[in-house]
Amino acid sequence: MKREIDFVSKNLFFIVVSLVMVTVSLVSIFVKGFNFGVEFTGGSEILLRFEGKRITESELRGILSGISEEFKTARIVRVSSMGDPADVLKYSVVVPKTYASDEKKSLQEKVESLTGGKLVSFNEITGTAAEEIRKGTWTAIVVSFIAMLFYIAIRFRLVYGVAAIIALVHDVVITLGFFSLFGYEINVAAVAALLTLIGYSINDTIVLCDRIRENVKRYRGKSMVSIVNASINEVLARTINSSLTTFIVAFVLLLFAGTVVKPFAFGMTVGVVVGTYSSLYVVSPIVARWGGR
Amino acid sequence: MRADRVRLIVVLLVLAVALVALLWPTKEGFSSKLKLGLDIKGGARIEYLVEIEREVENPSAVVDDVWTVLRNRLDAAGYTEATLKKVFRENNSYIVVEIPGVTDTAQAEALIGSTGVLYFAQVLNEYYGDDPTKIPEYVFEANREKAVWLKGRDGKWYLVRKEIMGRRDLVLEAPRILYARPEVETRVGRYGYKVSFELARDHVAVFERITRALYVPEGTYDPRKRLAIVLDDVVQFAGQVVAVITDGRAEITGNFSLQEAKDLAAILRSGALPARLVKTSAGWVAPLLGRDVVDASLKAGIIGLVLVLVYMVVYYKTMGIVADLALLYNTVLLFGVMALGRFILTLPGIAGIIFTIGTTVDGNIIIYERIKEELRTGKPVKTSIALGFERSFFTLFDANITTILAGLVLYYFGTGTIKGFAITLIIGVMGSMFVNLVLSRVLLDALAPHIKLPKVAETQQGGSQR
């Protein structure tokens, strides 16, 4: 055999690494919590109306940010109604904050005098995504984990399935932990990134398990540890190339994409790295230890 | 090489279909073929006031119910990417609906559907002709009976009263209907279809009292004891009650055609709203992400894609070109299917596309690494390619099936955006499997003479290529 990298026998070190990462993530999630986007928390919507005055979204953001911090990341969108005259501009400004009625009044005065527009209405809004996401997504994730566990148990062995699910939970927790630690906003796109990560992680795991399954037949009589290690080395080029290509796309997006897309790109970038790591260092030791016959 | 010829034909056919779906000009021009979501392109925005009566104990529960009904309707119409916001202002509750890919607010309102409350009523009289609310004697009759004249779907006018037999305890408004479906009529002497439905438990007792009050033996006709189903001030159906319904499960018979039965079932099922909605404004909303964000992200996506394409060629040479073609092909395919299925592309959908780029490249890499392994053992190129595909088939199969499985679960349980994400995920993964196994095979077989043998094999196997 060619030179091999030993992935399995140093597993104690990586188990410690994983445990530390998971612990740090959980602590951050429970202590620091998440920076939920307005889609989740709800907040206030201010409708501003400008007559005969052209003002862009970024100009408006600049003026409002001077009034209060929360407008820096406000969602500012142009809206229009049927029958609006041509010289009327309307903006909906959404912030994840609610105001008491006296606050509303002073805010209204400041906003109107500084922007030269008229505050048409001050709405309290609920988080739209919160209901949608809470309603089904957690059930969906749990059910899909169970479905994948069954599939892998049938096509491979139960141990492989258990290893895959442990790796998935590991990946989801650590990625969420990164979101919490770095204070990236959790919005709908970030949830999509999290779901994508599940896909990647399971892909990596299956490719590895597939090779282990094949090698168990090929290298009869060898120890499970050496079979697993040989398998990792055989699929290593694939693992690195596949992860690297996705990493490139996600990382470029993280560097250059606009504000709302950033959390998504962040989730993808972290997810690819963690997903690759977990198939090498979480799945393989479990299969090596318990996957023998 | 007959197999390759078949593969090539399939590949070209699929590509043609995808391109036609994407580029076939419509009335609106061809940019509208691929529908873009609210975050990327904006859409129609309609605001409704939820009319809640003062005596209602828990108004926010009513708003929640309205929200759920509308969400289900939009999801069923394929507008999983539409957003529904609950808004509170000056002690009133509003629901703001934003629908992507719709530029016409009238079309948006049609999608949202009925904004009225469905109720059961007693029919007191019927009449065929001009508007009875303009004829004094009919108006007098309506006043005397404390009832209203409403138009029926069949064109007749009906005098109906919400308080059945004039009793307040016999009112059934906004019932929750568990199911309503058309069924084939099986009874002798009848033909066509009937509609069966079931009421939620809390309405069973009222419905039993109502049916008891209006009951007439089958075959008899009592014009003042008919039950009507009213929605949006239209009598959707009126008929005689021939059985007392004690368990909430009822049938509406009328020798309907399949279409009539379907329509009536849809009316019952559409989930009558628990409160009336009053439109307070209709208009448009700009892209939620903002033009600059969309442009920057698009640029970033293209840069990333180009880097991947270059990397593949540098690392895998000839096989890298095949991978790049496969990648581009699958992207066109995905967009084509999305246009064909009238799916809406949003930011989470783009996540699905990036995932597709990943799995397509990954599939090719898995196959190439296999082929390389075979080449290293000294087999000729063509044999190695055949073996490489054969050996990696189940790897790809298992990896992709698990992803599709997860996608299906996500589609089934998720709502709104999550459903949209699941759709792109499933289409993308199926496409990548097709591209990897069929397109890559054709191209690799065609390019086999140009594939360099790895160094180990070259010394052993010289120039054997056939």
Side-chain angles (χ1 to χ4, degrees):
Chain A
M1 280 243 144
K2 307 170 272 100
R3 65 210 145 85
E4 266 191 2
I5 307 169
D6 188 357
F7 283 96
V8 186
S9 60
K10 287 192 203 99
N11 60 16
L12 194 67
F13 172 71
F14 289 104
I15 290 172
V16 173
V17 170
S18 285
L19 284 178
V20 169
M21 298 256 276
V22 169
T23 315
V24 170
S25 298
L26 287 175
V27 168
S28 178
I29 290 168
F30 285 106
V31 175
K32 195 176 170 215
F34 292 114
N35 172 17
F36 281 109
V38 68
E39 299 143 298
F40 283 91
T41 57
S44 305
E45 179 190 43
I46 299 164
L47 268 181
L48 289 173
R49 181 186 164 102
F50 297 92
E51 239 164 284
K53 180 181 176 183
R54 305 233 62 92
I55 182 167
T56 65
E57 287 163 36
S58 46
E59 283 165 12
L60 186 58
R61 188 189 302 280
I63 299 170
L64 292 175
S65 301
I67 300 173
S68 189
E69 272 292 304
E70 67 265 22
F71 290 104
K72 276 192 182 144
T73 53
R75 193 156 292 181
I76 301 178
V77 181
R78 225 190 113 179
V79 293
S80 55
S81 302
M82 269 197 294
D84 276 353
D87 65 335
V88 163
L89 256 180
K90 282 197 295 197
Y91 284 102
S92 147
V93 181
V94 178
V95 285
K97 191 180 170 188
T98 50
Y99 303 89
S101 54
D102 51 326
E103 284 179 304
K104 279 185 193 171
K105 211 167 239 168
S106 74
L107 190 64
Q108 173 162 12
E109 279 163 16
K110 276 186 208 157
V111 168
E112 289 188 342
S113 67
L114 285 172
T115 61
K118 192 173 163 15
L119 199 153
V120 185
S121 71
F122 213 120
N123 301 328
E124 269 168 40
I125 57 170
T126 55
T128 47
E131 316 229 1
E132 290 177 14
I133 306 277
R134 280 197 199 119
K135 242 180 126 185
T137 307
W138 283 114
T139 334
I141 289 178
V142 172
V143 174
S144 66
F145 277 21
I146 295 169
M148 289 191 275
L149 178 66
F150 268 98
Y151 185 82
I152 299 172
I154 291 165
R155 292 278 307 157
F156 299 84
R157 299 185 63 189
L158 182 63
V159 179
Y160 294 25
V162 174
I165 302 303
I166 291 174
L168 281 180
V169 174
H170 167 271
D171 298 348
V172 171
V173 168
I174 291 179
T175 309
L176 283 174
F178 267 85
F179 267 97
S180 166
L181 272 175
F182 287 85
Y184 269 97
E185 187 183 286
I186 300 244
N187 55 22
V188 173
V191 173
L194 209 62
L195 299 174
T196 311
L197 137 76
I198 293 175
Y200 276 123
S201 176
I202 200 78
N203 250 9
D204 266 355
T205 304
I206 297 241
V207 171
L208 178 62
C209 288
D210 175 73
R211 188 52 73 109
I212 296 173
R213 174 174 63 179
E214 189 188 319
N215 284 345
V216 166
K217 287 182 206 140
R218 192 140 54 119
Y219 308 138
R220 263 175 217 283
K222 284 207 176 182
S223 75
M224 202 57 198
V225 170
S226 66
I227 289 175
V228 170
N229 207 49
S231 306
I232 297 180
N233 278 281
E234 284 170 27
V235 297
L236 194 61
R238 174 265 156 194
T239 307
I240 291 173
N241 281 337
S242 292
S243 304
L244 198 61
T245 45
T246 315
F247 180 83
I248 292 172
V249 179
F251 192 63
V252 170
L253 210 56
L254 180 63
L255 287 183
F256 299 113
T259 45
V260 192
V261 187
K262 274 226 157 46
F264 163 72
F266 178 76
M268 295 279 285
T269 310
V270 174
V272 172
V273 176
V274 179
T276 308
Y277 165 86
S278 75
S279 66
L280 295 182
Y281 291 110
V282 176
V283 174
S284 59
I286 297 174
V287 173
R289 177 76 181 75
W290 288 287
R293 36 190 84 236
Chain B
M1 290 291 95
R2 282 233 351 243
D4 269 351
R5 196 164 301 156
V6 176
R7 287 192 194 106
L8 186 63
I9 292 168
V10 173
V11 163
L12 292 177
L13 271 179
V14 171
L15 182 65
V17 171
L19 284 176
V20 166
L22 259 179
L23 299 178
W24 194 263
T26 56
K27 274 173 274 169
E28 300 142 66
F30 50 56
S31 59
S32 65
K33 284 307 280 182
L34 188 65
K35 288 193 171 179
L36 298 172
L38 283 168
D39 44 2
I40 302 173
K41 212 180 169 204
R45 172 189 167 111
I46 301 175
E47 187 184 81
Y48 291 103
L49 168 70
V50 184
E51 264 193 358
I52 299 171
E53 282 160 39
R54 295 210 178 278
E55 60 263 32
V56 170
E57 276 173 34
N58 190 353
S60 74
V62 176
V63 180
D64 285 351
D65 287 348
V66 171
W67 187 93
T68 309
V69 170
L70 294 183
R71 178 79 265 169
N72 290 341
R73 282 185 193 169
L74 286 168
D75 280 359
Y79 283 84
T80 55
E81 305 298 339
T83 66
L84 283 161
K85 262 185 287 192
K86 287 183 260 174
V87 171
F88 303 98
R89 172 165 84 226
E90 290 143 18
N91 293 327
N92 283 321
S93 302
Y94 297 82
I95 285 194
V96 175
V97 187
E98 291 170 344
I99 304 181
V102 175
T103 44
D104 178 5
T105 52
Q107 194 193 340
E109 282 177 59
L111 277 168
I112 293 161
S114 150
T115 52
V117 173
L118 183 137
Y119 60 90
F120 288 95
Q122 182 183 6
V123 178
L124 298 163
N125 202 351
E126 66 175 47
Y127 155 80
Y128 196 85
D130 295 334
D131 189 350
T133 57
K134 294 203 174 77
I135 303 165
E137 57 177 293
Y138 288 113
V139 174
F140 177 75
E141 183 188 1
N143 287 340
R144 190 189 64 216
E145 301 270 18
K146 293 196 178 68
V148 285
W149 283 103
L150 294 179
K151 189 132 188 136
R153 257 159 69 92
D154 51 7
K156 283 186 203 166
W157 288 90
Y158 291 90
L159 184 64
V160 298
R161 187 167 59 195
K162 210 182 269 183
E163 288 85 15
I164 288 159
M165 307 308 278
R167 281 166 52 184
R168 287 196 162 263
D169 61 331
L170 293 186
V171 172
L172 183 47
E173 212 177 355
R176 275 205 306 122
I177 288 166
L178 300 177
Y179 68 81
R181 56 182 172 237
E183 277 173 12
V184 178
E185 183 66 80
T186 47
R187 282 183 55 184
V188 183
R190 291 184 180 276
Y191 55 90
Y193 291 83
K194 61 187 178 187
V195 175
S196 67
F197 67 90
E198 181 173 354
L199 289 164
R201 275 181 64 180
D202 29 338
H203 305 302
V204 170
V206 188
F207 200 62
E208 181 182 348
R209 287 201 299 275
I210 290 173
T211 48
R212 203 177 290 283
L214 295 179
Y215 171 77
V216 293
E218 196 161 3
T220 51
Y221 177 69
D222 185 342
R224 286 179 65 86
K225 276 198 165 181
R226 280 179 299 165
L227 187 65
I229 297 167
V230 183
L231 176 67
D232 288 338
D233 287 338
V234 172
V235 174
Q236 306 289 344
F237 178 78
Q240 219 75 59
V241 177
V242 294
V244 177
I245 310 296
T246 54
D247 58 357
R249 273 184 227 158
E251 279 176 2
I252 305 170
T253 56
N255 304 335
F256 300 119
S257 72
L258 178 61
Q259 194 54 48
E260 285 168 340
K262 269 188 185 165
D263 288 350
L264 189 56
I267 286 165
L268 288 167
R269 199 175 44 222
S270 72
L273 293 166
R276 188 179 294 273
L277 296 180
V278 180
K279 185 173 76 182
T280 45
S281 88
W284 299 271
V285 58
L288 306 183
L289 288 179
R291 201 58 263 160
D292 47 342
V293 177
V294 174
D295 287 346
S297 309
L298 203 63
K299 219 175 274 169
I302 290 170
I303 292 171
L305 186 64
V306 169
L307 285 177
V308 169
L309 295 177
V310 171
Y311 178 85
M312 289 301 286
V313 175
V314 169
Y315 192 93
Y316 286 103
K317 312 276 167 5
T318 313
M319 293 198 284
I321 297 171
V322 174
D324 288 353
L325 288 174
L327 182 54
L328 295 175
Y329 183 98
N330 194 27
T331 312
V332 173
L333 188 60
L334 179 62
F335 282 135
V337 174
M338 290 194 72
L340 208 60
R342 310 200 132 263
F343 299 122
I344 296 161
L345 185 64
T346 57
L347 188 57
I350 291 174
I353 291 173
I354 294 181
F355 181 78
T356 302
I357 294 177
T359 44
T360 314
V361 171
D362 182 44
N364 276 307
I365 291 175
I366 289 173
I367 295 168
Y368 298 166
E369 291 297 333
R370 271 292 181 176
I371 294 175
K372 278 188 169 178
E373 276 176 48
E374 301 301 332
L375 286 170
R376 278 192 208 104
T377 63
K379 296 194 184 75
V381 176
K382 289 246 160 167
T383 322
S384 299
I385 292 175
L387 279 174
F389 273 95
E390 200 179 299
R391 299 241 159 104
S392 40
F393 176 79
F394 276 107
T395 316
L396 289 177
F397 182 82
D398 283 332
N400 288 330
I401 291 291
T402 25
T403 312
I404 291 174
L405 205 62
L408 287 174
V409 172
L410 222 48
Y411 182 79
Y412 186 79
F413 287 99
T415 48
T417 325
I418 300 300
K419 263 195 166 59
F421 172 78
I423 289 171
T424 32
L425 189 71
I426 294 167
I427 299 172
V429 170
M430 288 191 344
S432 80
M433 204 144 69
F434 170 75
V435 165
N436 287 331
L437 294 176
V438 184
L439 176 72
S440 298
R441 183 70 189 268
V442 176
L443 292 176
L444 278 181
D445 279 341
L447 293 173
H450 302 284
I451 292 173
K452 275 211 193 117
L453 296 170
K455 286 191 188 90
V456 200
E458 253 168 357
T459 52
Q460 302 171 343
Q461 203 62 36
S464 76
Q465 257 153 33
R466 203 154 287 242

